[in-house]
Every structure is written in C-alpha cells, then in structure tokens.
Amino acid sequence: MADVEVKGLSDNEAESLCKISDSSTDDFIMQQTMYRIKDPRRSLPFYTEVLGMKLLLKLDVPSMKFTVYFMGYAKSSDIPNDDTERRLWVGRQPGCIELTHNWGTENDDSTHYHTGNSDPRGFGHIGLSVPDVNKACDRFERLGVEFIKRPRDGNMKNIAFIKDPDGYWIEILTGQSLVDIKMN
C-alpha cells in the first residue's frame, strides 16, 4: 500500500458535516459524564478539595448495589434542600460528573477501570478551565496530585494533565490555552 498523506478534516468539510440542529433540541444540555470509581473515600475528597467541586446529589440504588455522586460547580446556596427539587435541579445542571461506585469494589483488588488512555484507546479526558494554569498546578503539586503533563512540558504549553484517584485524566486549561494552540 502506497504512503498516503493523513490529515484531519478541512474547516469547510467539518462545517459541511455539521447539520443545523432541529428546534426540538434547543433545550438539550450536556448534563453529565459518568466515571466508575473504586473507592468514594478517595474520590470524593479529590473532587471536592482538589478540584473545588460540590457534591450536588447522592443517590443510593440498593437493588443494584451502587451509589452515584453527582459532582459539579455551583454555589452552595443554589443547591435546593428539598430532595425532589434537588433532583430536578441537578438534572438541569450542565457539565456534571457522575461518579458511580459499585458497592464492594473498594475492597476488591481485582477491580480496575479502563480510563481510555491505554490500548484499546477510547475516552480520553475531561477538561477544567481555571483562571491561571500555573497557580492551579502549584496548588495541585502541594496537594500531592499526580501529573501526566505539567504546563511547561511538551509542545503544548500552558495546559496540564492530572490524574484522579482512579487514573482518569483531567486537562487543566484556560480560554487562552485554546488561543495559544499553534496552527500549522
């Protein structure tokens, strides 16, 4: 097979592939990404203390032996106290992380979750926009967070990648990070 130049879609092709959305989707939001976690005693402190998220909602499902923890960014005063109102409110919040804990995995040494960053590759990471990548990473360093990439490493500067307790990758960036990506 002859060598073929491989490259991404042109701007025009990408635009032509994107269709005008139907008005029936106007109120859709990207509400959550779900991660399976091994031990909530490790994950909850990471997402709250390290990343500054709040526990928006905890739902136990005893019949299926799991609990989900909806994490996100919100003011505590905005989170409803009434259970029904809180559930409805969480269902309308964009950009949540649903941490799913299957009971007993924290005691099972054979339980490991695939993060998508080893073969076979798939899911890659979530991204958090912060005011200052370097200051955020200095704080992560002090808290003992594991880094995949620091802001000054590699070809793409001013972005970082850290790992959560289950090994999921989290990109740390600013809006300026997207501006700074070099175009060839």
Side-chain angles (χ1 to χ4, degrees):
M1 186 167 142
D3 288 336
V4 177
E5 182 181 359
V6 178
K7 60 182 181 179
L9 301 177
S10 69
D11 291 348
N12 286 339
E13 184 180 7
E15 286 292 328
S16 72
L17 291 170
C18 295
K19 306 302 178 195
I20 296 171
S21 60
D22 184 284
S23 63
S24 66
T25 66
D26 287 352
D27 293 325
F28 288 14
I29 62 167
M30 206 321 267
Q31 195 274 330
Q32 64 183 263
T33 297
M34 187 274 265
Y35 284 167
R36 286 182 178 82
I37 59 169
K38 183 173 172 98
D39 187 350
R41 289 176 184 88
R42 293 182 63 217
S43 297
L44 292 174
F46 177 86
Y47 281 89
T48 55
E49 180 184 10
V50 174
L51 298 183
M53 291 184 177
K54 301 250 187 316
L55 174 61
L56 304 178
L57 181 66
K58 174 185 172 280
L59 295 175
D60 294 313
V61 186
S63 64
M64 299 178 74
K65 298 183 179 171
F66 73 89
T67 298
V68 294
Y69 304 89
F70 286 94
M71 311 300 296
Y73 292 102
K75 295 177 184 174
S76 296
S77 60
D78 290 342
I79 302 171
N81 290 320
D82 176 77
D83 184 60
T84 300
E85 286 302 311
R86 188 175 195 153
R87 290 174 189 229
L88 291 168
W89 178 84
V90 166
R92 294 187 303 264
Q93 300 309 300
C96 295
I97 301 291
E98 176 190 340
L99 302 177
T100 299
H101 172 236
N102 294 297
W103 300 350
T105 56
E106 66 276 18
N107 301 316
D108 181 355
D109 291 338
S110 69
T111 299
H112 300 283
Y113 295 118
H114 191 282
T115 65
N117 288 298
S118 59
D119 290 329
R121 294 194 184 269
F123 176 82
H125 64 271
I126 61 168
L128 294 184
S129 182
V130 298
D132 184 308
V133 171
N134 290 309
K135 285 182 182 177
C137 288
D138 289 346
R139 182 174 170 280
F140 298 151
E141 186 81 43
R142 287 191 305 275
L143 292 170
V145 173
E146 184 178 350
F147 281 82
I148 302 292
K149 178 199 175 301
R150 287 179 168 74
R152 291 174 274 291
D153 296 344
N155 292 326
M156 295 180 72
K157 306 297 182 198
N158 298 318
I159 64 167
F161 284 88
I162 60 174
K163 282 186 180 181
D164 86 346
D166 289 284
Y168 294 109
W169 291 19
I170 301 167
E171 181 177 6
I172 308 301
L173 70 149
T174 66
Q176 187 64 43
S177 302
L178 298 175
V179 172
D180 292 343
I181 293 175
K182 301 291 185 231
M183 304 287 202
N184 292 333

